Structures are given as C-alpha cells and as structure tokens.
Amino acid sequence: MSKQKIIVTGGAGYIGSHTVVELIEAGYEPIIVDNYSNADRGIIVQIEKITGKTVQHYELDCNDLAAFRKVFEAEKNVLGSIHFAAAKAVGESVANPLKYYHNNLQSLVNLLQLQLEFGLEYLVFSSSCTVYGQPEKLPVTENSPIQKANSPYGNTKQICEEIIEDTVTSKAKLKAASLRYFNPIGAHPSAMIGELPFGVPNNLVPFITQTAAGLRESLTIFGHDYDTVDGTCVRDYIHVVDLAKAHVRALDWLQSQEQNSLHEAFNLGMGKGYTVLEIVQTFEKVNDLKLNYRLGDRRPGDVVKIYGNVDKASHILKWQTKLGIEEALKDAWRWEERLKGIELVK
Ligand code: WQD
C-alpha cells in the first residue's frame, strides 16, 4: 500500500524537521516545502541519515501561490498538510509587523486555498501559547480566554486560528487541529538535527548552549525580581521530540473523525512550569558544567508565568510527554557540541 503523503511547510526548520522524522517513522511520506529563510538545506540530508529514507522536498516560498500550486500539481494523492512555515521571532515582529502579517497570514491563506482546490482534507497548524497572553489563571486550558496578543507574532497566530475556524465554518471539507506549543527545547537524541538559530538566538536554550560552547560571552537572565519562586520567569518547556510526535497523533486523530469539517485546538506542553534559573541549574547539573550567566533587566513583553493544562491532548490524542527537561537539556548540549563537526550546506 502506498504511503500517505503529507505536505510539511517549513519542514526543514526546528520543529518541522523533527516532525518529518516522526512522520517517516510512523509510515507517512512527508513532502517538505521550505524557502530556507530560517532553515538549513543540510538538514534534509541529516533527516535522510536518521531515517534511511529519501525525502521529497521543494524550495519555494508559500507566499508564492503559483510556485506553491506546482507542488499540488506534481504530487498526487496528498492526504493533508502540516503548516510550520512562518516567521516566529517575537522581538522582530514588534520591529517589523508588516513582514509578519504578510508572511504568516498569506502563507496560510495560500495553503488553505490549494488544499480546498486539490481536495486535501486534513490540516495540522503550528500555533502557540502566545495566544493566551498573560493568563489570569494557571494552568491555561484550551478554553482559557484568548487575550490581546503581546506581539504581532502572537497576533498572527490568533488570526491564523480564526482563518482556519472561518474556513471550517464555511462547511469546506476540512478537518484541522491547531497545536498551541509552549516552549519547545532540546534536539533529536541522534544529535543529527536540532535548533539552528540564525544569528544571535532569541530563545533561552540555544543561548545557553552557545554560551556553554563559548560562542557567547555570557547568558543574561532577563529579570530576577518577578513574583515567582526565585524571581525569574516561569515557562512550560517541552522536548521537541515529544512535540513532534504530537503532530503525528493529531494527524491520526483527524482521520478518525466522522464529521465533514472540524477545528480543534490543543495545548502541547509538559503541563509544568520551570523558572529560567531552574533551567540554567538543570543544564549545569545534567551536563556537568558551569554556565557563565548574570542577572539582568526584564525583557519588555515577557509574560511572567505561563504553563499549560495538557489533559485535552492526552485524552483525545492519546499523547503524553515522555521526555523531561533533563533529557531535553542533555540533547540540546549534545547537538551544540555536534554542530561544531557538522558541515551544513548554507
Ligand atoms: C523564555 C524565558 C525570557 C533568552 C517565545 C515565543 C513563543 C515560542 C517560544 C514560537 C523568558 C528568558 C530568554 C535569554 C532569558 N516561539 N530568557 N535570557 O519568550 O517564552 O516564547 O519562544 O512559537 O511563541 O513567544 O521564549 O526562550 O525567548 O524565553 O532570560 O537570553 O527565558 O525572558 O522568561 P518565550 P524564550
């Protein structure tokens, strides 16, 4: 029986590449569509080394409808898609909002238009916990109020969920799951793929590993006087491999649903909060090293404390995290060390 094809936009990126590995291991045939604006072409080869399979891939921008249509014309019997392709740097989105509104919204509209035109019934959408803003009550559930986004990036995620909702309500034949990620960290245990931030990392864990590798002078912890157990911000960190597996579970679940059209949101996190300092101390412990860090000023726009209730994903998707922050921080460090040796094609 031929394998079920899934278009994976942004499939060479951090979460995309880990999801492509899990799709292959679950028996799907992923087709990567990526413009490599925030990913490295060398990752395709790494995915093929991990899985022993060749991966079909197209280099194009999802905002280019004509180019994107060619993939749908070339690839027959595609079951559905997983949509990762989006710009995702919170700070950059504040400085350059129009890039975010154009890139993140147009790419989704193009994908939906082509899915309906070519009859692809299933969509898994990469959303984010930023849709909750600073929640009043913790842990956040999928019914927690969607608050005004803290950034244009977060707003594009909210608007994208609404675009999907309105498309489903129009009775289009579409079954969609919006996956609201908390903070993805770590790397594949093979250390063949992992996070590859271009330039200075915005996110905490790649900044930690680059500091430990001597690429950065020291880590600045943004804010240490918050109303938390040690004064630093609380986040719900999830191993990227657990997160990747949730995408496969969501795809399987969508195919088991009878309705013609549906749209469900799912929180994907560990369901537990850790402070920045706890992450730093755990990194030092599991990797047996001392990290150079200092306590600095708050970062504007930071949510103080957020972590998710993940019961819905566990009950409906039959999915649970299996890896803790210890494994994630070990895998992140192993990947950083391997990076020195991997010649990635830029
Ligand atoms: C985590 C904590 C920082 C860097 C963002 C997006 C979210 C998702 C993940 C895409 C905060 C602190 C960080 C540093 C620090 N992205 N920090 N020093 O902001 O929670 O979430 O990335 O989906 O949508 O909003 O992640 O890793 O930037 O920050 O102290 O050098 O680490 O202040 O408390 P964030 P982050």
Side-chain angles (χ1 to χ4, degrees):
M1 185 179 104
S2 67
K3 294 187 173 16
Q4 295 176 309
K5 291 181 182 179
I6 302 292
I7 286 175
V8 185
T9 71
Y14 175 39
I15 303 166
S17 57
H18 287 82
T19 302
V20 165
V21 167
E22 298 305 327
L23 282 168
I24 292 170
E25 292 185 355
Y28 286 98
E29 183 187 336
I31 298 160
I32 291 177
V33 172
D34 207 308
N35 66 356
Y36 301 104
S37 61
N38 193 23
D40 197 292
R41 288 170 183 75
I43 289 293
I44 307 270
V45 172
Q46 301 297 97
I47 293 172
E48 294 179 337
K49 282 184 192 160
I50 295 172
T51 60
K53 299 271 191 301
T54 53
V55 181
Q56 175 64 287
H57 53 277
Y58 294 83
E59 180 168 353
L60 64 94
D61 184 338
C62 297
N63 289 298
D64 178 346
L65 183 63
F68 201 3
R69 173 175 274 110
K70 288 198 168 47
V71 177
F72 288 75
E73 286 161 351
E75 297 294 341
K76 300 291 172 240
N77 310 318
V78 178
L79 186 73
S81 69
I82 303 181
H83 185 45
F84 292 104
K88 60 154 214 161
V90 173
E92 185 195 32
S93 77
V94 175
N96 189 353
L98 294 182
K99 169 186 170 182
Y100 276 69
Y101 287 113
H102 176 258
N103 186 57
N104 293 7
L105 304 186
Q106 188 62 57
S107 57
L108 174 67
V109 169
N110 286 352
L111 175 62
L112 285 169
Q113 196 179 313
L114 290 166
Q115 288 216 196
L116 300 188
E117 194 181 317
F118 287 84
L120 278 65
E121 271 184 73
Y122 305 103
L123 166 67
V124 175
F125 172 63
S126 166
S127 189
S128 170
C129 64
T130 37
V131 301
Y132 299 116
Q134 173 59 69
E136 247 110 70
K137 252 180 88 228
L138 289 172
V140 280
T141 70
E142 290 79 358
N143 301 320
S144 295
I146 301 296
Q147 306 199 54
K148 181 167 172 15
N150 285 20
S151 68
Y153 161 76
N155 200 25
T156 64
K157 290 301 180 185
Q158 287 181 11
I159 298 169
C160 282
E161 286 196 21
E162 288 163 9
I163 290 171
I164 295 168
E165 189 65 26
D166 291 347
T167 306
V168 165
T169 315
S170 72
K171 292 284 163 270
K173 202 165 165 29
L174 180 73
K175 300 175 197 176
S178 286
L179 305 185
R180 295 173 180 167
Y181 309 156
F182 283 75
N183 287 55
I185 61 170
H188 193 266
S190 66
M192 307 276 278
I193 55 175
E195 200 161 1
L196 261 179
F198 283 7
V200 180
N202 293 300
N203 294 130
L204 176 65
V205 172
F207 206 105
I208 288 176
T209 57
Q210 289 192 8
T211 302
L215 301 174
R216 306 283 159 208
E217 182 57 35
S218 85
L219 168 78
T220 302
I221 294 183
F222 297 139
H224 52 96
D225 57 353
Y226 287 108
D227 177 18
T228 64
V229 63
D230 59 22
T232 64
C233 291
V234 173
R235 293 289 184 277
D236 182 336
Y237 296 93
I238 175 171
H239 196 299
V240 66
V241 170
D242 277 332
L243 183 62
K245 290 179 189 293
H247 290 73
V248 181
R249 296 291 316 127
L251 208 48
D252 294 344
W253 174 74
L254 286 172
Q255 293 170 75
S256 69
Q257 297 311 294
E258 299 298 316
Q259 313 92 308
N260 226 5
S261 53
L262 69 93
H263 178 213
E264 285 295 338
F266 295 93
N267 283 343
L268 295 180
M270 222 182 281
K272 187 170 163 30
Y274 286 92
T275 69
V276 176
L277 259 180
E278 285 166 340
I279 294 293
V280 170
Q281 288 153 358
T282 306
F283 179 81
E284 291 181 317
K285 180 170 69 73
V286 299
N287 294 307
D288 192 20
L289 50 77
K290 274 313 285 160
L291 190 78
N292 188 12
Y293 67 88
R294 55 181 282 277
L295 299 174
D297 297 336
R298 296 179 172 195
R299 181 173 69 174
D302 263 338
V303 161
V304 181
K305 201 170 175 181
I306 184 167
Y307 55 93
N309 172 312
V310 293
D311 292 346
K312 183 176 175 186
S314 112
H315 295 152
I316 294 185
L317 302 184
K318 309 276 179 277
W319 166 86
Q320 235 108 35
T321 52
K322 296 208 169 18
L323 302 163
I325 57 162
E326 296 76 8
E327 287 91 344
L329 294 168
K330 257 193 227 151
D331 292 338
W333 178 232
R334 203 177 22 248
W335 162 246
E336 186 69 57
E337 291 198 295
R338 269 292 300 273
L339 261 185
K340 293 177 201 145
I342 297 179
E343 268 314 299
L344 288 168
V345 173
K346 274 283 169 216

